Amino acid sequence: MSESPTTFCGYVAIVGAPNAGKSTLLNALVGAKISIVSSKVQTTRARITGIGMAGAVQLVFLDTPGIFVPKRRLDRAMVQAAWSGVEDADTILLVVDVAHGYDDETRAILQRLRDRKVPVVLALNKVDKIPREKLLGLTQALNNDFPFAATFMIAASRNEGVDDLRRDLAKRMPAGPWLYPEDQLADVPMRFLAAEITREKLFNALRQELPYAATVETEDWKDQKDGAAKISQVVFVERETQKKIVIGEGGAMLKRIGAAARREMETQFERRVHLFLFVKVRGDWGDDPERYEAMGLDFPKG
């Protein structure tokens, strides 16, 4: 008679409308910051894999871009990445921003999820932002419309309710060996993570629509003899006027972005970082397959 398996491991796809708080929740579930967080919508572009532990259970979280109606090629690639994450999941975690309520985007997502054979868990996020009566009404409306396996009320930015959610997800994972070392937090190349850190600082430093016309790539990474990392990155923008905004008066904006990115990289990578940023104009980067490959996205045809 064979012994019962002692470890469990499975995939959890985190889905939801843009700015529902998916990346903040992923960071809370994993216990470290591995995904870009911004108040602006659609900041996550590629699928980020985070690894969380709950006793003998390893949870592999797939943080997907927000699901919305795509208008550009990049939009289509982001939505495609989101739904491909759903295909791999043992459990789907739908995150809903309670301040937005049961909106058209959430309805469209639930319509696509109806034919899925795996459990769908509902996480009502930012519950500290609305009155309890409104929250209870929203909870009832969503559960009347869809057979959720469980519902949790959380505030991911404050880590409230996250432990209970993690324990519930862990109970749903199948038996099997762990896919990653116990202390690994993410399945993301360091070069990609470094680019995401700089892109987050770009989002936070600049207002209006400029960040959506920009992308960041790590062109070179050299480990130095003293243990430091020398990292060279390029910020691609679409127009010369955008380049001037990113650089700023006397290079002040680029220095600010670079300093913030370097500090976070040193914290994340636990080593000194020498960061060099350059800004280039590439008007067609949104139609360049190489840029999509660098972002971890499939290039949509047509």
Side-chain angles (χ1 to χ4, degrees):
M1 186 174 179
S2 60
E3 295 184 5
S4 300
T6 57
T7 60
F8 301 79
C9 184
Y11 289 92
V12 179
I14 307 175
V15 301
N19 214 26
K22 299 181 298 298
S23 296
T24 301
L25 177 55
L26 171 66
N27 294 337
L29 287 166
V30 171
K33 184 175 179 181
I34 64 168
S35 191
I36 181 171
V37 176
S38 170
S39 60
K40 297 179 175 69
V41 300
Q42 300 169 21
T43 49
T44 300
R45 285 178 175 168
R47 196 174 79 184
I48 307 294
T49 303
I51 300 107
M53 299 300 301
V57 184
Q58 186 171 78
L59 296 147
V60 183
F61 295 103
L62 308 174
D63 179 27
T64 63
I67 298 172
F68 55 100
V69 178
K71 298 177 181 178
R72 305 169 297 167
R73 189 190 296 271
L74 177 59
D75 295 343
R76 297 201 304 275
M78 290 163 62
V79 172
Q80 181 178 318
W83 285 117
S84 68
V86 172
E87 297 297 333
D88 296 333
D90 295 291
T91 296
I92 298 168
L93 177 59
L94 174 66
V95 184
V96 174
D97 179 350
V98 296
H100 290 173
Y102 193 3
D103 55 18
D104 290 340
E105 289 176 324
T106 300
R107 292 180 194 278
I109 294 170
L110 287 179
Q111 191 60 39
R112 286 282 300 267
L113 292 178
R114 290 188 188 281
D115 61 348
R116 305 293 167 179
K117 305 301 182 185
V118 299
V120 179
V121 174
L122 174 63
L124 294 168
N125 193 24
K126 309 179 188 179
V127 296
D128 53 323
K129 304 295 185 183
I130 67 170
R132 180 175 176 81
E133 303 76 35
K134 187 176 179 181
L135 177 60
L136 293 176
L138 174 60
T139 304
Q140 185 174 7
L142 282 160
N143 278 273
N144 286 344
D145 202 29
F146 191 89
F148 291 104
T151 299
F152 290 86
M153 300 180 184
I154 66 170
S157 64
R158 299 164 60 168
N159 208 32
E160 293 180 3
V162 175
D163 289 343
D164 289 341
L165 173 59
R166 186 190 299 107
R167 281 191 288 269
D168 179 86
L169 294 171
K171 293 176 183 177
R172 302 179 188 280
M173 297 300 101
W178 294 344
L179 299 176
Y180 300 93
E182 185 176 359
D183 58 351
Q184 185 169 338
L185 299 176
D187 184 14
V188 182
M190 298 286 275
R191 293 167 68 105
F192 179 84
L193 182 56
E196 286 291 276
I197 289 172
T198 301
R199 190 164 68 89
E200 179 187 63
K201 304 314 174 188
L202 185 72
F203 267 83
N204 292 340
L206 299 171
R207 297 186 295 273
Q208 301 173 348
E209 295 301 313
L210 176 61
Y212 299 106
T215 190
V216 179
E217 292 181 20
T218 302
E219 284 205 327
D220 191 45
W221 178 311
K222 290 182 179 177
D223 294 320
Q224 300 187 311
K225 291 182 179 180
D226 64 356
K230 181 181 177 182
I231 302 172
S232 296
Q233 295 180 327
V234 176
V235 179
F236 287 105
V237 294
E238 294 177 331
R239 296 188 295 275
E240 191 67 35
T241 53
Q242 295 169 345
K243 178 178 178 180
K244 292 179 180 178
I245 294 172
V246 174
I247 293 175
E249 188 72 27
M253 179 58 71
L254 191 62
K255 290 178 182 176
R256 175 183 165 190
I257 294 168
R262 177 186 55 76
R263 286 194 296 270
E264 179 150 339
M265 288 180 197
E266 290 185 336
T267 299
Q268 294 277 11
F269 305 149
E270 297 181 337
R271 61 197 300 189
R272 287 184 60 209
V273 171
H274 304 292
L275 178 63
F276 300 88
L277 291 182
F278 306 90
V279 185
K280 295 182 180 179
V281 177
R282 183 162 293 178
D284 61 347
W285 79 258
D287 295 314
D288 184 350
E290 289 188 12
R291 305 284 76 79
Y292 283 73
E293 182 179 356
M295 289 186 285
L297 294 170
D298 292 328
F299 183 74
K301 305 297 183 181

